[in-house]
Amino acid sequence: MITLCWSSVSLAIVIVTDSKNMFDVIAHNKPPQSFPEEVYNRVLTQLSVDKFLFAPHERISTLMSEGEPICTPFRLKTEEREKVYVFSRPTDFFFNRRLYQQKSSEPISQKFLDSNGNVIDLVEMLVSSTEYTLLTGANHSYGDFLDDIIAQIPPNNLYVRHGIDPYSSMIEMLSKGRVAFYLTYPSIMRSNPEVENLRSYGIAGTPRYEEGHLMCNDLEGSRAFLRAFDDVLMSLYQSGEFVNLAQKYMSEDEWVQLKRIVDSTLLED
């Protein structure tokens, strides 16, 4: 099912998301509740986009191939995606993706962990037990590094979740013991009450942070919209509002890292 929302001014662009929370924010049905929601709310309000869609993740790629200018928020830039799509400047930052497990489960054996408690070889760890299943989202990217690792995991050690609004349903599946592990960001888990019942592990070698972007199909209308989107986004960087919006949603360490990235990289583009 696809839900539509219309406003008064058209920029001939469709914004589609599989997150009900994000849809409600950009469609002005409720206030933002996360850093990326705050950013998209600020930018899209200034651009007065006229059409928003809410659709399952796997449906979005089909919509983006049908010839109409379409963009979708909250996407990582990967080598495979860059062959097909175009991307905005960074809209959000994800720090330290971690592997979550119920505290009531047997901890991961020390032989699979390095001296910092990070999983050395995710594939080897998962195949060591028939009870170990990693929950992933259908057609989701975890960045080039982790996508390469996940592609090596045998199907019987993977549980692929389909459907809309996947994050809340994935956390619920982990909390109910339907899967052994869920790979996600602390920022997503931080506000969920279930986090108190979970332990987490880093994955050795993963990037310190990943950037989220608005991802669009490569059409003239999409590129024109991205230029306008990036102009507004740059104004948020320059005014300090981007960093200020992040402060109430990030840990102090994450916020300091973000401020350093903005000052040293984003303002120099």
Side-chain angles (χ1 to χ4, degrees), residues 178-199:
R178 295 179 61 188
V179 292
F181 300 101
Y182 175 41
L183 191 61
T184 191
Y185 299 101
S187 58
I188 290 176
M189 297 299 299
R190 193 170 292 127
S191 61
N192 193 291
E194 286 299 326
V195 74
E196 297 297 324
N197 302 317
L198 304 174
R199 68 172 67 93

Side-chain angles (χ1 to χ4, degrees), residues 122-124 126-127 132-134 136 146-159 183:
L122 181 60
V123 179
E124 182 182 11
L126 289 171
V127 300
Y132 283 172
T133 50
L134 174 66
T136 62
L146 286 171
D147 283 350
D148 288 343
I149 293 175
I150 292 171
Q152 302 172 45
I153 299 173
N156 59 313
N157 292 108
L158 280 177
Y159 189 113
L183 191 61

Side-chain angles (χ1 to χ4, degrees), residues 47-260:
L47 295 177
S48 301
V49 177
D50 74 329
K51 188 175 182 181
F52 302 101
L53 302 180
F54 174 48
H57 190 96
E58 50 265 43
R59 172 68 176 143
I60 293 176
S61 59
T62 301
L63 290 170
M64 294 181 77
S65 67
E66 293 179 349
E68 184 176 10
I70 292 180
C71 299
T72 184
F74 214 55
R75 293 291 180 262
L76 301 184
K77 186 188 295 184
T78 66
E79 291 182 5
E80 285 301 309
R81 286 177 173 175
E82 285 190 280
K83 296 174 184 177
V84 182
Y85 303 111
V86 289
F87 294 82
S88 71
R89 299 177 187 273
T91 55
D92 41 281
F93 287 80
F94 310 103
F95 292 92
N96 306 316
R97 196 191 288 267
R98 297 183 67 81
L99 189 68
Y100 287 85
Q101 178 193 38
Q102 285 188 323
K103 287 181 179 177
S104 58
S105 300
E106 186 73 20
I108 294 175
S109 171
Q110 288 296 318
K111 69 180 180 180
F112 297 118
L113 305 177
D114 64 17
S115 59
N116 295 315
N118 299 317
V119 177
I120 301 168
D121 188 323
L122 181 60
V123 179
E124 182 182 11
M125 185 275 291
L126 289 171
V127 300
S128 70
S129 173
T130 57
E131 300 297 318
Y132 283 172
T133 50
L134 174 66
L135 177 61
T136 62
N139 300 312
H140 280 250
S141 173
Y142 294 83
D144 288 323
F145 179 84
L146 286 171
D147 283 350
D148 288 343
I149 293 175
I150 292 171
Q152 302 172 45
I153 299 173
N156 59 313
N157 292 108
L158 280 177
Y159 189 113
V160 181
R161 172 71 180 181
H162 296 261
I164 58 176
D165 208 14
Y167 296 108
S168 59
S169 61
M170 286 179 171
I171 295 170
E172 183 179 2
M173 288 181 67
L174 179 64
S175 67
K176 290 183 176 180
R178 295 179 61 188
V179 292
F181 300 101
Y182 175 41
L183 191 61
T184 191
Y185 299 101
S187 58
I188 290 176
M189 297 299 299
R190 193 170 292 127
S191 61
N192 193 291
E194 286 299 326
V195 74
E196 297 297 324
N197 302 317
L198 304 174
R199 68 172 67 93
S200 68
Y201 306 85
I203 307 295
T206 53
R208 183 166 54 92
Y209 67 88
E210 292 163 323
E211 299 173 355
H213 302 264
L214 182 69
M215 184 177 82
C216 305
N217 49 9
D218 192 2
L219 300 174
E220 183 178 348
S222 304
R223 286 184 173 274
F225 179 78
L226 273 183
R227 288 192 292 270
F229 185 93
D230 278 346
D231 284 346
V232 178
L233 193 54
M234 177 57 85
S235 72
L236 296 185
Y237 298 163
Q238 293 172 335
S239 68
E241 187 175 4
F242 186 83
V243 171
N244 291 339
L245 288 172
Q247 192 163 21
K248 64 180 177 180
Y249 297 106
M250 292 184 175
S251 67
E252 182 65 20
D253 177 63
E254 290 172 344
W255 186 77
V256 169
Q257 291 184 68
L258 174 65
K259 190 174 187 308
R260 187 179 301 121

